[in-house]
């Protein structure tokens, strides 16, 4: 526990700063959660959703996994998506990858890494479908392009879930966005037009 004292001290200082700036901040936060955004991103510690979008606690609902993969059989992700859409009534689902993603890089290399290989199979399938495009690129450029393709594919996968289809059938205007983050600049780029209700 002593080795984590600095984290608890950081938390104390942060909480005190929040109260100094806005005395009702935590009381308001405790009463209600009404984010407009669901962030589906990579587990990478360098890509914190709230910080890089400038949003406060309570303003973005977050799901993270290795390489921001969306699979219709991932009950963890589906539970988060359903809660976000059906209960929180988010208006935007942001599928956010990042350049240089270690999971995408591992999927592109044909080496065993352990149980994660099963998870990365989805990215390998995307690489196979885009093999002719990726073959012509230098390795780092291929990794970055596969990072983009992975985001685009996973945004499509979100749109094909029964959760989103049902929401659209009910008239909920949930939009799905494909974004990518560049670690060396701190900037987010939009990869394509948002996917909107049909």
């Amino acid at each position: 526990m002593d080795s984590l004292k600095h984290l608890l001290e950081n938390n104390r200082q942060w909480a005190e700063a929040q109260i100094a700036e806005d005395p009702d901040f935590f009381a308001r936060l405790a009463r209600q959660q009404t984010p407009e955004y669901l962030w589906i991103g990579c587990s990478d510690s360098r890509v914190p959703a709230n910080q890089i979008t400038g949003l406060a606690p309570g303003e973005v609902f977050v799901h993270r996994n290795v390489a921001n993969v969306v699979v219709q059989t991932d009950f963890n992700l589906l539970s988060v998506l359903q809660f976000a859409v059906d209960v929180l009534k988010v208006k935007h689902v942001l599928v956010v990858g990042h350049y240089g993603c270690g999971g995408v890089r591992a999927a592109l290399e044909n080496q065993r890494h352990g149980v994660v290989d099963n998870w990365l199979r989805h990215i390998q399938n995307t690489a196979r479908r885009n093999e002719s495009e990726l073959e012509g690129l230098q390795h780092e450029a291929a990794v970055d392009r596969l990072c983009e393709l992975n985001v685009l594919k996973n945004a499509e996968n979100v749109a094909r879930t029964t959760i989103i289809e049902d929401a659209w059938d009910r008239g909920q205007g949930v939009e799905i966005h494909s974004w990518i983050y560049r670690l060396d600049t701190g900037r987010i780029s939009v990869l394509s037009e948002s996917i909107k209700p049909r």
Side-chain angles (χ1 to χ4, degrees):
M1 180 75 161
D2 288 346
S3 63
L4 301 180
K5 276 186 179 177
H6 67 289
L7 297 181
L8 297 174
E9 179 58 23
N10 290 349
N11 170 254
R12 185 190 62 73
Q13 291 175 12
W14 173 78
E16 288 175 0
Q18 292 298 319
I19 291 169
E21 186 176 314
D22 178 0
D24 296 325
F25 177 79
F26 290 109
R28 210 172 38 256
L29 194 63
R31 282 193 304 270
Q32 184 170 315
Q33 177 177 212
T34 56
E36 289 189 21
Y37 315 99
L38 167 61
W39 173 286
I40 299 174
C42 183
S43 298
D44 192 301
S45 62
R46 300 167 294 174
V47 191
N50 287 71
Q51 281 183 290
I52 66 175
T53 56
L55 295 174
E59 293 184 335
V60 60
F61 199 60
V62 177
H63 174 82
R64 291 167 64 166
N65 64 54
V66 173
N68 47 273
V69 171
V70 175
V71 184
Q72 286 91 350
T73 54
D74 177 359
F75 292 109
N76 184 324
L77 177 129
L78 293 175
S79 298
V80 169
L81 181 62
Q82 183 165 27
F83 186 79
V85 171
D86 293 353
V87 178
L88 299 176
K89 307 292 187 203
V90 297
K91 295 180 174 84
H92 304 275
V93 177
L94 314 169
V95 179
V96 186
H98 65 94
Y99 290 113
C101 178
V104 172
R105 183 182 307 282
L108 204 54
E109 301 165 351
N110 278 325
Q111 298 177 6
R112 292 284 188 211
H113 297 90
V115 73
V116 75
D117 295 330
N118 299 287
W119 185 253
L120 300 177
R121 184 72 61 193
H122 304 288
I123 304 168
Q124 290 170 336
N125 291 340
T126 299
R128 278 190 207 93
R129 282 191 295 277
N130 295 278
E131 189 173 8
S132 61
E133 178 183 354
L134 297 172
E135 274 181 346
L137 300 173
Q138 296 292 326
H139 183 70
E140 287 306 308
V143 170
D144 284 349
R145 181 58 182 148
L146 186 53
C147 289
E148 294 173 346
L149 294 168
N150 184 51
V151 168
L152 294 166
K153 177 61 179 163
N154 289 310
E156 288 175 18
N157 289 348
V158 170
R160 291 187 181 126
T161 62
T162 56
I163 296 158
I164 294 295
E165 289 176 349
D166 291 347
W168 286 345
D169 287 344
R170 288 191 304 269
Q172 269 181 267
V174 182
E175 294 184 27
I176 302 158
H177 305 267
S178 303
W179 289 2
I180 195 154
Y181 178 70
R182 187 170 291 283
L183 293 166
D184 60 356
T185 66
R187 301 295 299 269
I188 295 171
S189 299
V190 176
L191 291 174
S192 71
E193 292 292 317
S194 63
I195 303 172
K196 298 180 182 178
R198 45 193 175 336

